Amino acid sequence: MAGIKDVAKTAGVSVSTVSYVLSGKRPISSKTTDKVLKAIEELGYIPDASAQKMRGQLNHIIAISEPMHEGMNQMQYSAYFMQSAWQARSAGYDVLLLTGPDAVADIERVTHSNLVDGVLLLDVEERDARVAAAARYRKPCVAIGLPKSHKDCACIDIDFAKMGRRSADRLFALGHRQVALLRAQEIDYERHAGYVLLFREEFLARADEIGLDVFESGPVDNATFDARRFVSDMLSRNPRPTALVSQSGVSILNLTVTALMAAGLKIPEDISVLSCGTFLRDEPMRRPVSEEPFEPERLCAIAMGSLISSIEKRQSIAGEVTLIDPKFIDRGSLASAPRNVGSGDGGFSVSASFGGRQADLAQADSAQADVETSASESIASASQSRNLEGEPMD
Amino acid sequence: MAGIKDVAKTAGVSVSTVSYVLSGKRPISSKTTDKVLKAIEELGYIPDASAQKMRGQLNHIIAISEPMHEGMNQMQYSAYFMQSAWQARSAGYDVLLLTGPDAVADIERVTHSNLVDGVLLLDVEERDARVAAAARYRKPCVAIGLPKSHKDCACIDIDFAKMGRRSADRLFALGHRQVALLRAQEIDYERHAGYVLLFREEFLARADEIGLDVFESGPVDNATFDARRFVSDMLSRNPRPTALVSQSGVSILNLTVTALMAAGLKIPEDISVLSCGTFLRDEPMRRPVSEEPFEPERLCAIAMGSLISSIEKRQSIAGEVTLIDPKFIDRGSLASAPRNVGSGDGGFSVSASFGGRQADLAQADSAQADVETSASESIASASQSRNLEGEPMD
DNA sequence: TTGTAAGCGTTATCAT
DNA sequence: ATGATAACGCTTACAA
């Protein structure tokens, strides 16, 4: 392994000259510079990272903490993760990924041993042990997420509270008075993922304030969720909800949208759909859904930016909180509330259609496939009967 | 920051004693050990990683190279990635992730600068620049994948060639003589992802040898794939394929399975479906599909194991190739070929059903949603007509 | 403009 | 069983 001494010898100069050529911290004659550069090239010299760091230089490594846990949305987190890695690399930093179960210990280890220059916390929960322990890390630390207590850690997040209130307002403004709320996976509430709780709380509170009637779904679990049932429950209310706000993931949202359409409802004419705290951009959807999204790029860029600036300026950012204004992406699934949605009027009496079919189901295969298919069949009859009533076939 | 000197001072011993207490490379009296340990505890001392490495110690960091590229299957690669990270951590190694576009430069940088002890290459293509440059890395390097030339790099992969041949044999043995091959995304062939090419080649070659007639899909692109059309094309052949082998990703496979069922075909009675080179385990499927899967855990465990052993034994593994026997996961989507599948006989004339509906479609909304719905509608009629023919409703 | 040498925090060799 | 110290490869203050 060629070291700085070898370069110096080859170039016929002293080691300090080589060092200064590399760092540019001292003027060097162009003749000498050339010799040195040539020697470096020739020997394929790359400075030893450890020796540099021993001299107090930065390591240019950032730890990203993202402990794996049950039921994590890989897509979603890898989006954050990839974005952060990209941002870090663009700024000349490598990324050390910490996924182990004992995150705090890992972070202490890599910060105390001077392995990394800073720490980024992903997937932060409402009460996050990593954030709570931030004071003990000897390096700057930024969290994406806003836990309850965060006095020793910089936090950056979308303003989910505002998102909740704004969503309620948005639907109200469109004339909706009855809305359904499709919950996120129960597991997300249980682990107290800050954003799901915050959004839901504020949404419900605001809805209550302005007189928006909310029908909230039961607990949701990706494995067992029954979209037809949820839709059927929702539509059997009187008056029925004219809008659906969803906190759930893509697959469940897709199933629900499918079930809504299967129930003969057109989006957005008959029912508005709004997905909040999701990241649908690259997801294949049954039908595009308007969204108040996560914004991995924006969040990660801001977080990484302030982390790196804190590192390089050597100035603490502990306790700083940055809340980002939520964005709204219009994908055409929101419209003014339809009139006359009570049962027995010009609207569809979908529950009847479902009910009729449900009797049949008892005899049918219990395979999910068939259940879904039969949902489609009942649409067929729904549109047929609509047609008989002289309504346009659309 | 407390260093080893501080510990020595506090404990009232010399620095070497502290070092030996930590490394255990020299017998120390228990009395002294206690004093030292207490001091370490008291000061929260953690050795400086760089100083350790300057003394020739291992860094316990492994670089994982996984350049981001267009159209990469995030789910799939994050599976490999997460597995590797997990394996590394279990062995006491941290993971440095290299995702930058200039992978070779990054790897050279981190190996030459002694930042990492070894390198794992993920997402290796048929002609992989990273593998080709392996001789220049000054650290052990293992690739998951089997590129054309690999003399300076250890390679570990599933035996996709064998998988291809075996899949052909498997279907043949079940009596299938006509099979459809649903290609992977075109972009995967274009970037010469080793496994897609290898599998397809060997599958086709073996099919040819044993007399298996293969109807291969056109180019596939996630964004524009039309499952109904593919199924319709496939079923319009005479005799129609009785089995489908798929190299495509989950979403496309799901769409295709849905379309098959929508066309009135039961899996596996009417058509067998086999997915190869995929990783469906945790994916929500329309219907379970038997699979010759990727095996991230197994591959990563083996790869990481040999990498770490090469690191710790300081013995080269360049050029070693390990091919893993492919596994078959039975999810009940494979059965013996049905008899009488020619058009006009006891089978379904599905293309007619599609054809009839297609005329209607011209007037319908062009939204994808409606297209899919109508596919479902045509099932309804298909099963109805079957019923009229006195067949069991299932 | 360039060279010399101290020192970063460890580990390992040589003493005791 | 323990201590003193050289060495690792680099950066930088000081010297020339």
Side-chain angles (χ1 to χ4, degrees):
Chain A
M1 278 281 300
I4 198 172
K5 282 181 195 162
D6 306 291
V7 175
K9 208 165 296 173
T10 306
V13 299
S14 75
V15 288
S16 61
T17 303
V18 176
S19 178
Y20 284 121
V21 165
L22 254 33
S23 70
K25 295 191 177 176
R26 181 199 261 186
I28 303 281
S29 76
S30 63
K31 201 166 41 168
T32 309
T33 304
D34 285 350
K35 281 190 298 183
V36 170
L37 257 24
K38 195 177 297 171
I40 287 176
E41 174 79 7
E42 187 183 325
L43 299 176
Y45 167 72
I46 293 185
D48 183 283
S50 310
Q52 288 187 308
K53 207 186 51 209
M54 293 239 345
R55 297 295 327 184
Q57 309 285 100
L58 288 180
N59 224 347
H60 292 282
I61 300 183
I62 285 172
I64 298 188
S65 164
E66 186 173 13
M68 303 193 205
H69 59 81
E70 278 289 316
M72 71 188 281
N73 181 338
Q74 281 211 21
M75 258 330 236
Q76 195 171 97
Y77 292 121
S78 73
Y80 279 96
F81 173 69
M82 295 288 181
Q83 270 304 317
S84 309
W86 168 259
Q87 298 286 349
R89 190 69 209 106
S90 307
Y93 284 75
D94 284 311
V95 161
L96 191 81
L97 185 61
L98 303 176
T99 54
D102 196 348
V104 172
D106 281 340
I107 298 173
E108 287 195 283
R109 182 172 53 78
V110 298
T111 53
H112 287 219
S113 70
N114 264 308
L115 228 177
V116 303
D117 299 321
V119 182
L120 179 70
L121 268 27
L122 294 186
D123 196 14
V124 166
E125 304 175 4
E126 201 175 23
R127 305 166 177 278
D128 198 285
R130 296 169 296 166
V131 174
R136 299 212 300 275
Y137 313 151
R138 309 240 178 95
K139 306 283 169 183
C141 180
V142 172
I144 294 188
L146 184 61
K148 278 273 163 60
S149 66
H150 50 255
K151 69 180 191 329
D152 299 313
C153 184
C155 291
I156 293 175
D157 206 353
I158 290 174
D159 192 340
F160 284 102
K162 187 172 194 175
M163 186 190 286
R165 294 191 300 273
R166 214 176 62 174
S167 297
D169 288 337
R170 186 186 303 283
L171 294 175
F172 190 89
L174 284 170
H176 298 275
R177 293 299 176 266
Q178 276 77 33
V179 306
L181 173 63
L182 177 55
R183 289 165 66 92
Q185 279 207 88
E186 208 53 25
I187 197 171
D188 287 327
Y189 299 100
E190 279 160 12
R191 43 177 274 269
H192 298 283
Y195 66 95
V196 269
L197 295 169
L198 214 51
F199 174 89
R200 175 178 169 279
E201 246 165 57
E202 295 286 327
F203 174 78
L204 292 178
R206 183 65 181 158
D208 197 46
E209 270 175 51
I210 59 183
L212 195 60
D213 188 37
V214 179
F215 164 65
E216 186 172 8
S217 75
V220 166
D221 169 31
N222 269 354
T224 63
F225 180 70
D226 183 345
R228 273 184 70 234
R229 164 153 211 157
F230 168 63
V231 167
S232 150
D233 287 352
M234 169 181 157
L235 296 186
S236 67
R237 297 178 64 86
N238 189 354
R240 72 159 173 88
T242 56
L244 171 66
V245 171
S246 168
Q247 286 196 270
S248 70
V250 214
S251 48
I252 286 191
L253 180 58
N254 247 327
L255 288 173
T256 306
V257 165
T258 304
L260 284 171
M261 297 171 71
L265 294 176
K266 296 196 63 178
I267 300 170
E269 293 84 345
D270 302 322
I271 186 152
S272 291
V273 180
L274 174 62
S275 180
C276 293
T278 49
F279 185 55
L280 306 176
R281 196 186 52 195
D282 296 323
E283 303 283 355
M285 292 291 298
R286 184 70 168 75
R287 186 222 182 278
V289 169
S290 299
E291 184 182 23
E292 307 239 4
F294 282 130
E295 298 174 76
E297 311 90 14
R298 195 144 71 111
L299 247 51
C300 292
I302 294 174
M304 200 50 88
S306 59
L307 178 56
I308 288 175
S309 109
S310 162
I311 289 170
E312 296 183 345
K313 291 179 187 157
R314 288 175 162 76
Q315 103 199 345
S316 169
I317 47 171
E320 286 183 16
V321 172
T322 311
L323 253 23
I324 310 281
D325 223 44
K327 189 164 100 180
F328 171 71
I329 300 177
D330 187 356
R331 298 205 183 90
S333 69
L334 253 50
S336 299
R339 283 170 303 163
N340 303 328
V341 294
S343 58
D345 62 10
F348 333 99
S349 79
V350 181
S351 50
S353 152
F354 268 131
R357 181 62 198 170
Q358 263 158 353
D360 297 348
L361 277 177
Q363 314 167 252
D365 266 358
S366 59
Q368 200 194 343
D370 292 77
V371 174
E372 277 190 32
T373 298
S374 49
S376 301
E377 283 180 84
S378 56
I379 330 160
S381 41
S383 42
Q384 266 182 326
S385 45
R386 267 200 285 156
N387 221 20
L388 289 176
E389 287 158 29
E391 294 188 29
M393 189 61 177
D394 66 292
Chain B
M1 276 279 302
I4 199 172
K5 283 180 196 164
D6 305 291
V7 176
K9 207 165 295 174
T10 307
V13 298
S14 75
V15 287
S16 55
T17 301
V18 176
S19 178
Y20 284 118
V21 165
L22 253 32
S23 70
K25 293 189 179 178
R26 180 199 260 188
I28 303 279
S29 76
S30 61
K31 200 166 42 171
T32 310
T33 304
D34 285 351
K35 280 190 299 184
V36 171
L37 258 25
K38 194 177 298 171
I40 287 176
E41 174 77 8
E42 186 183 327
L43 299 176
Y45 166 71
I46 292 185
D48 183 282
S50 309
Q52 289 187 306
K53 207 185 54 208
M54 290 242 334
R55 298 295 322 173
Q57 307 287 98
L58 288 179
N59 223 346
H60 292 281
I61 301 182
I62 284 173
I64 297 188
S65 164
E66 186 172 14
M68 303 192 203
H69 58 81
E70 277 289 317
M72 72 188 280
N73 182 334
Q74 280 210 23
M75 259 328 235
Q76 196 171 97
Y77 293 120
S78 73
Y80 278 95
F81 173 70
M82 295 289 183
Q83 271 303 317
S84 308
W86 169 259
Q87 297 286 348
R89 190 71 210 102
S90 307
Y93 284 75
D94 283 312
V95 162
L96 191 80
L97 185 60
L98 303 176
T99 53
D102 196 348
V104 172
D106 281 340
I107 298 175
E108 287 196 282
R109 181 172 54 78
V110 298
T111 53
H112 287 217
S113 69
N114 265 309
L115 227 177
V116 303
D117 298 321
V119 181
L120 180 69
L121 267 28
L122 293 186
D123 197 13
V124 166
E125 303 176 5
E126 202 177 22
R127 306 165 175 279
D128 198 285
R130 295 170 297 165
V131 174
R136 298 212 299 276
Y137 314 152
R138 311 240 177 96
K139 304 285 171 184
C141 180
V142 172
I144 293 189
L146 183 61
K148 278 272 164 60
S149 65
H150 49 255
K151 67 181 194 327
D152 299 314
C153 183
C155 291
I156 293 176
D157 206 354
I158 289 175
D159 191 340
F160 283 103
K162 188 172 193 174
M163 185 190 284
R165 293 192 300 273
R166 213 175 64 172
S167 297
D169 287 339
R170 186 187 302 284
L171 294 175
F172 190 89
L174 285 170
H176 298 274
R177 293 299 177 266
Q178 276 76 36
V179 307
L181 173 63
L182 177 54
R183 290 166 65 93
Q185 279 206 89
E186 208 53 26
I187 199 172
D188 288 327
Y189 299 100
E190 278 159 13
R191 44 177 274 268
H192 297 283
Y195 66 94
V196 269
L197 294 169
L198 213 52
F199 174 90
R200 177 179 168 278
E201 247 166 56
E202 295 286 326
F203 175 78
L204 292 178
R206 183 67 181 156
D208 197 46
E209 269 174 51
I210 59 183
L212 195 60
D213 188 37
V214 179
F215 164 65
E216 186 171 7
S217 76
V220 166
D221 169 33
N222 269 355
T224 63
F225 180 71
D226 182 345
R228 272 185 70 236
R229 167 162 209 146
F230 168 64
V231 166
S232 150
D233 287 352
M234 169 180 155
L235 296 184
S236 67
R237 296 178 64 86
N238 188 356
R240 72 159 173 87
T242 56
L244 171 66
V245 171
S246 168
Q247 287 196 270
S248 71
V250 215
S251 49
I252 286 191
L253 180 59
N254 248 328
L255 288 173
T256 306
V257 164
T258 305
L260 284 171
M261 298 171 69
L265 295 176
K266 296 196 62 180
I267 300 171
E269 292 85 345
D270 303 322
I271 187 154
S272 291
V273 180
L274 175 61
S275 180
C276 293
T278 48
F279 185 55
L280 307 176
R281 197 184 53 195
D282 297 322
E283 303 285 356
M285 292 291 298
R286 184 68 168 75
R287 185 222 182 280
V289 169
S290 299
E291 184 182 24
E292 306 239 4
F294 282 131
E295 298 174 75
E297 311 92 10
R298 197 144 70 111
L299 248 50
C300 292
I302 295 174
M304 200 48 90
S306 57
L307 178 57
I308 288 176
S309 109
S310 163
I311 289 170
E312 297 185 345
K313 292 180 186 156
R314 289 173 161 76
Q315 106 200 343
S316 169
I317 46 171
E320 286 183 17
V321 172
T322 310
L323 251 26
I324 310 281
D325 223 46
K327 189 164 101 179
F328 171 71
I329 299 178
D330 187 357
R331 298 205 183 91
S333 70
L334 252 50
S336 300
R339 284 171 302 164
N340 304 328
V341 293
S343 59
D345 62 10
F348 335 98
S349 75
V350 181
S351 49
S353 152
F354 267 132
R357 180 62 196 171
Q358 262 158 354
D360 297 349
L361 278 177
Q363 312 166 254
D365 268 357
S366 61
Q368 199 196 343
D370 293 77
V371 173
E372 278 191 29
T373 297
S374 48
S376 301
E377 283 181 82
S378 57
I379 329 163
S381 41
S383 45
Q384 267 182 326
S385 45
R386 269 199 286 156
N387 222 18
L388 289 177
E389 285 158 32
E391 293 188 29
M393 191 60 179
D394 68 292

